[in-house]
Amino acid sequence: MKRVAFNCMKANIYLQIILVMIFLLIMLYYTKIITPSNFLPVMRSNTYNINLHLNLIPLEKLSFLSPYGGSWLNGKNNCSCNIGKQWPLTASYDPKNMLSIEKRRRLQYEQHKKRNELPLKNIITAQPNSPLSYPIHGVEVMPLQSIVIPGLGVFAWERQNYMVKLKATQGVFNTIADVPEGVLNGLGDKELTVTSPSLQFINVVLKHITYTSKKYHINTVDVVSFQFEEYIAEFPIHIRQPAMPRLFDPGQDSNINSLVTITTKTFLRYHKLRVLIDSIRKFYPNMTIIIADDSEIPEKIEGPHIEQYMMPFAKGWFAGRNLAVSQVTTEYLVWVDEDFLFTKDTKLEKLLAVLENTNLDVVGGSVNGNRFHFKLWYEKGNEDDGECLFSKPGGFYTLDGFPNCVITSGVVNFFMARTAKILSVGFDPRLARVAHSEFFIDGLGRLLVGSCNDVYVGHQAKTEQTNDSVKAVEQKYAKFRQATEHDTKYKLALHYFKNHLKCYTRI
């Protein structure tokens, strides 16, 4: 009986083994034959050859990569002006003088780059499987001051001896730790080596290495080299003097009158200016109004909270803007033309809310339904020809949190702005007659601009004047208002030289 029981047990074991083998064969079959492709390994076998050479898509089919649908440069400093309407930037120059003008322009551009371009221009690529640990972003030091460099470390074992090297171009290295002699070589210099048979000790020393800025510069970058054996890493140290904050006290009640000043410029047309002031006083009786005035025979504008500043006769449009803005003491200013008209829809509070709750510098409204907002694109060219600037009506996209506003580059002559930012750009006083977009071109890269369609200012109606004196003023004003051919050519010449443009194109 025992033998029979033993044989039965043995048979059961064999049966279980057979069943397991059958199960494994079934699983193997399903794995090899019918497993879905997304469960298969990424690279199972080299059953076909891969062509490692890819033909590039023709440039004319890559226009979707360009913001305006033109040619995509792909990093080439040779922008193209082959779209839209071009303005002849050099038309006002005598061809005989172009060589000397181009020479002066090239010299001025080189000086501009020295003052404004950061040294961090080359692409820094991290090596694969590097044993080095180092900071890649966010290391900052004030000029002539020192910091401990964060994040330095080496992770490579089984060496008899370890040596790492740090190299800078604008600063020197030191340590805040008491390190034995022979470990650090080059303290106080631009090159520092750390040597030890202990990797753990090397990393402890690296945690205490300092960098000291030795040149006073308010905004530059030192690219530090960090080397171990054949591995070399580079990381930036930003040397920057933080700008002093410019804060404005809005008062206990944060009344809009203590935050905003209205600015304008007048020339001859006092009958228009007085209508504007009367309309402002209906809605903002206590808001300061600053007037720049270059009329031939000035008239005193009376009233509370009004400041009138006189200028030489016909000094010009942008010179007057500069004067008016320079006298603003509030955090924000509103610019209006002298022939505008405030209405119940001229809600300055809405524009103020946009500036107070976003990082915009300028936000425009609408003049009789006309927003006149436009986008600017800037493309790099070569140093001799200059850059390309493109202008197109409209905005880029809707401003977060404000569905009636868009991000753009320039707006109409009715806008609210941060006073300090407007002063930092300024209005070129050489533009005496028709000018507006030129301010936003000068501010490209320095001003963040928005445009809203739910804040309106009116425009005083143009009616046939019956008063002879007013009619004479309007006729005289019209002679100054219209830009001459010389004015237009001079304005374009400024773009060529001052803005270093190869072309200015409107799409």
Side-chain angles (χ1 to χ4, degrees), residues 395-407:
F396 295 110
Y397 54 85
T398 302
L399 178 64
D400 290 343
F402 295 90
N404 295 307
C405 306
V406 295
I407 298 294

Side-chain angles (χ1 to χ4, degrees), residues 402-438:
F402 295 90
N404 295 307
C405 306
V406 295
I407 298 294
T408 187
S409 302
V411 292
V412 73
N413 268 1
F414 168 51
F415 59 82
M416 183 180 291
R418 301 182 193 276
T419 305
K421 294 294 290 190
I422 297 297
L423 289 171
S424 71
V425 175
F427 300 90
D428 193 330
R430 291 173 289 185
L431 298 172
R433 297 294 170 257
V434 179
H436 178 66
S437 302
E438 288 71 23

Side-chain angles (χ1 to χ4, degrees), residues 18-146:
I18 291 172
L19 291 174
V20 169
M21 292 179 66
I22 292 173
F23 176 80
L24 291 175
L25 287 172
I26 292 173
M27 291 297 296
L28 182 61
Y29 171 82
Y30 274 90
T31 302
K32 291 292 184 181
I33 304 301
I34 63 172
T35 298
S37 59
N38 59 330
F39 290 151
L40 294 177
V42 175
M43 294 293 292
R44 290 174 54 186
S45 64
N46 294 323
T47 57
Y48 57 93
N49 293 326
I50 300 176
N51 182 9
L52 298 181
H53 175 75
L54 297 177
N55 294 324
L56 296 180
I57 297 173
L59 288 178
E60 60 269 19
K61 294 185 179 181
L62 295 177
S63 60
F64 63 90
L65 296 176
S66 171
Y68 53 85
S71 300
W72 183 55
L73 295 181
N74 193 24
K76 299 176 182 177
N77 288 336
N78 189 19
C79 63
S80 173
C81 302
N82 59 1
I83 63 170
K85 178 184 178 182
Q86 293 186 43
W87 296 92
L89 302 185
T90 60
S92 65
Y93 292 119
D94 188 332
K96 296 183 296 184
N97 299 328
M98 282 306 299
L99 287 178
S100 61
I101 291 170
E102 290 171 357
K103 183 178 179 180
R104 297 197 304 271
R105 179 176 179 253
R106 192 179 305 115
L107 177 61
Q108 290 294 314
Y109 185 60
E110 288 297 326
Q111 293 175 350
H112 163 80
K113 290 195 298 181
K114 289 179 181 178
R115 293 192 305 269
N116 295 280
E117 287 190 356
L118 294 178
L120 187 61
K121 294 185 294 183
N122 296 327
I123 296 175
I124 298 176
T125 303
Q127 298 184 36
N129 300 320
S130 173
L132 300 176
S133 169
Y134 53 93
I136 60 173
H137 175 72
V139 181
E140 187 171 303
V141 62
M142 287 191 283
L144 305 181
Q145 297 196 29
S146 304

Side-chain angles (χ1 to χ4, degrees), residues 199-218:
L199 177 62
Q200 185 178 5
F201 185 66
I202 286 278
N203 285 326
V204 170
V205 172
L206 288 174
K207 290 180 179 180
H208 299 86
I209 299 298
T210 64
Y211 172 90
T212 301
S213 164
K214 299 301 289 185
K215 293 182 179 179
Y216 189 87
H217 199 295
I218 61 172

Side-chain angles (χ1 to χ4, degrees), residues 309-330:
Y309 295 91
M310 305 304 178
M311 305 168 63
F313 173 59
K315 181 63 177 175
W317 176 233
F318 270 15
R321 280 189 169 192
N322 274 334
L323 175 57
V325 172
S326 72
Q327 299 306 304
V328 175
T329 59
T330 54

